Amino acid sequence: MRWPFSHPKPRGEPPGPTRLESGVHRAPGLATLCDGLAGEKARSVLDFGPSSTENVEFLSRLVERVQIQDLFRSCGGTYGARAEIYRFPAVERIALPEDGPYDAILLWDLLHYFEPSQIPPLVARLGRLSCPGSRVLLIASAKVPIPPTPVQFKIAGRDRLVYRVATDQRLPPPQLTPRQIEKLFRGFAPLRLFQLRNGLQELLFVYRGEDPEQQPSTFARGSTGGSRDLPAGGRLP
């Protein structure tokens, strides 16, 4: 089946970057998540990225409780150059919070760093941290080379993320297509998909439980609105 993911670039805009770079990037998936949290009076968010004052302050304006767990560092990872791609340990060895459920989970680009066989048990544990209606936001690459360690994401606004890429080293793309991810996220229904100009994709899932009959078959079309990536330190319009 052909998925309506791609969107023509507005006439006159320069092509997107050919490699993943540090800097400010538009985040329409984050904006959609924030709109949902504000509209539903959600109470809690679990952020699996590095602790950041900016992230905590921003999310605290939307929900009552923000839980931060730097999953990479908590598993012994160190941001920086590595000879090979980092791999998380087996999911059953990873300590996750036990005080859920959460209304939203920020998984960022961490799927890149799990063995494919470990993604289903990870998703099962995310399900236990969720309740019906909980959202999961993740960022994935199908064709863009990735750094050997996760990107550090800092929220710069409702639809802006600062990417901090710790090294210039790049490794082959993980080839995580939206269709493949959808099949792995049992119990979660695909909600929105945004194709970013940096080549990555933002995917938003909603927790429906284990009943496959409740899950739609495709992501809803998302528009980047002709978003343009900005260099580090660049001005936000």
Side-chain angles (χ1 to χ4, degrees):
M1 120 180 235
R2 185 176 180 181
W3 289 40
F5 298 143
S6 300
H7 304 279
K9 295 182 178 65
R11 186 173 297 178
E13 282 208 4
T18 57
R19 55 184 275 122
L20 186 58
E21 302 286 359
S22 295
V24 182
H25 299 251
R26 289 189 184 271
L30 176 65
T32 302
L33 177 66
C34 292
D35 290 345
L37 291 175
E40 297 172 6
K41 298 182 179 179
R43 289 189 261 181
S44 58
V45 171
L46 173 58
D47 183 349
F48 278 126
S51 180
S52 146
T53 299
E54 291 84 353
N55 287 15
V56 172
E57 289 182 348
F58 179 87
L59 295 171
S60 295
R61 294 195 291 269
L62 298 174
V63 297
E64 299 173 3
R65 181 167 65 97
V66 178
Q67 172 75 33
I68 305 288
Q69 180 182 346
D70 187 341
L71 197 64
F72 176 61
R73 280 201 177 104
S74 70
C75 291
T78 302
Y79 292 102
R82 298 175 64 95
E84 298 179 353
I85 191 169
Y86 173 82
R87 289 297 185 190
F88 279 101
V91 170
E92 62 269 16
R93 293 169 50 197
I94 300 176
L96 296 180
E98 299 180 355
D99 56 351
Y102 295 91
D103 296 294
I105 298 174
L106 301 176
L107 191 59
W108 304 120
D109 65 338
L110 298 181
L111 278 193
H112 294 164
Y113 304 94
F114 282 91
E115 294 287 353
S117 63
Q118 289 296 308
I119 295 179
L122 172 67
V123 171
R125 294 193 66 181
L126 294 180
R128 293 195 287 273
L129 292 170
S130 305
C131 60
S134 296
R135 266 70 163 174
V136 174
L137 177 69
L138 63 94
I139 296 173
S141 169
K143 299 180 180 179
V144 176
I146 62 170
T149 56
V151 175
Q152 300 172 74
F153 297 95
K154 184 180 296 185
I155 298 175
R158 172 181 162 277
D159 65 345
R160 299 290 198 281
L161 283 172
V162 176
Y163 290 31
R164 182 181 177 190
V165 187
T167 173
D168 290 334
Q169 185 180 359
R170 297 291 181 271
L171 297 170
Q175 299 181 350
L176 280 174
T177 67
R179 189 66 168 164
Q180 290 170 329
I181 297 171
E182 180 186 350
K183 291 179 179 178
L184 294 168
F185 265 66
R186 181 173 178 81
F188 291 84
L191 191 61
R192 297 295 299 273
L193 165 69
F194 295 90
Q195 179 67 54
L196 307 180
R197 295 201 66 238
N198 58 21
L200 300 180
Q201 296 149 335
E202 283 188 313
L203 300 94
L204 190 60
F205 286 88
V206 59
Y207 186 65
R208 298 298 192 197
E210 293 300 325
D211 183 359
E213 296 299 322
Q214 296 184 18
Q215 297 197 41
S217 60
T218 62
F219 285 92
R221 181 190 298 245
S223 172
T224 61
S227 59
R228 179 178 300 180
D229 302 311
L230 305 177
R235 292 183 59 188
L236 294 173

